[in-house]
Amino acid sequence: MDILNRLAESIDYIEKHLDQPLKHEEIAQIAYCSKFHYQRMFYMLTGVTLADYIRKRRLTVAAQELAASHIKVVDAAFKYGYNTPESFSKAFSRLHGISPSQAREKGRTLRAFPRLSFHIQIKGVEDMNYKIVEKEPFQVIGKALEVTVKDDQNKKDIPAFWNELNHNGFTDSLKPDIGPLGFLGVCMDFNDQADTFNYVIGVEKTTADTPAGCVGKSIPAATWAVFEAIGPVNPAVQATWERIFSEWFPATGYELANAPQFEAYPEDGDIMAQDHITEIWIPVVKQK
């Protein structure tokens, strides 16, 4: 439950500072998370990005203030984080369907994006089977791509990266070196300042040599929670990630550790098969 309490505290902080500059790093610190992990967890739990939530909450509160007071539109724009009245008016109109000036008119309908609250959702439909694995340090060999989480660009770039390496023969070239985990898709080297991370497609290194054209990445020793996503990779993997953050973490005594995360795919698996199994490896620590 600690994770839910900390998320609730971060929402309290956002609500108290809607009319002030909000830095994602400071919000994440309240939840004892890195910026990257907080933003990812926030999206998994809510279905909206942190930036979008803040924007919609500011526009909701701004509309209420315009309707109930004599604040000028230009003052409301600056108060809620917009550089110009024009940019404020455009964003306001997209959410509410009317201009800020029209919000003053009696009888106008305004849209309210509600404040979030967090709780455990007991579904009782499917068990979440997992295992805890202690694994020594290992290396991954493959190709790396720096991707950004801004505007969910990583969700476009990573599938395109897989397609590229599958079609140009690179993944086939790794098969002689493939380890027991199969093919790996690793998220690592998180850069909170730039909102980027490295995504590595490769295999666990099992020989002394690194094949030509490959980079080597070190994965530290860690405790891992390992989950099975059963079914076609899309949507089974994404659905399992969502359940991990929305159901498993809040209900257990574990927290996300600051280490790489990865998905493991069988060497010859059919990613579209109903019985295909993708393993999701998440580094964890026991709550203090």
Side-chain angles (χ1 to χ4, degrees), residues 130-138 140 181 184-188 190 218-227 241 248-249 254-263 279-285:
Y130 69 95
K131 58 185 177 183
I132 299 297
V133 176
E134 302 286 345
K135 188 169 175 59
E136 294 299 312
F138 65 100
V140 173
L181 290 176
L184 305 178
V186 186
C187 300
M188 62 187 308
F190 307 111
S218 297
I219 309 297
T223 301
W224 307 85
V226 183
F227 302 83
W241 274 108
W248 188 81
F249 270 119
Y254 289 97
E255 296 179 344
L256 186 66
N258 187 19
Q261 307 162 15
F262 64 89
E263 296 161 3
E279 285 191 343
I280 298 176
W281 287 60
I282 300 180
V284 295
V285 294

Side-chain angles (χ1 to χ4, degrees), residues 162-194:
W162 273 104
N163 286 335
E164 176 189 347
L165 298 191
N166 285 334
H167 283 92
N168 68 15
F170 178 78
T171 50
D172 285 336
S173 73
L174 291 177
K175 286 186 176 180
D177 301 293
I178 201 165
L181 290 176
F183 288 106
L184 305 178
V186 186
C187 300
M188 62 187 308
D189 303 330
F190 307 111
N191 186 332
D192 280 352
Q193 301 304 314

Side-chain angles (χ1 to χ4, degrees), residues 87-113:
S87 60
F88 173 68
S89 294
K90 287 181 180 179
F92 192 97
S93 297
R94 281 196 298 269
L95 180 65
H96 295 287
I98 58 175
S99 70
S101 297
Q102 290 174 318
R104 297 187 185 281
E105 300 173 5
K106 292 184 178 180
R108 283 288 188 176
T109 299
L110 299 171
R111 295 174 184 168
F113 189 82

Side-chain angles (χ1 to χ4, degrees), residues 41-56:
M41 180 167 55
F42 190 96
Y43 181 78
M44 291 287 190
L45 288 169
T46 67
V48 297
T49 65
L50 177 60
D52 200 33
Y53 174 76
I54 293 172
R55 179 182 62 83
K56 289 181 177 179

Side-chain angles (χ1 to χ4, degrees), residues 207-224:
T207 62
D209 298 327
T210 298
C214 289
V215 298
K217 292 286 188 178
S218 297
I219 309 297
T223 301
W224 307 85

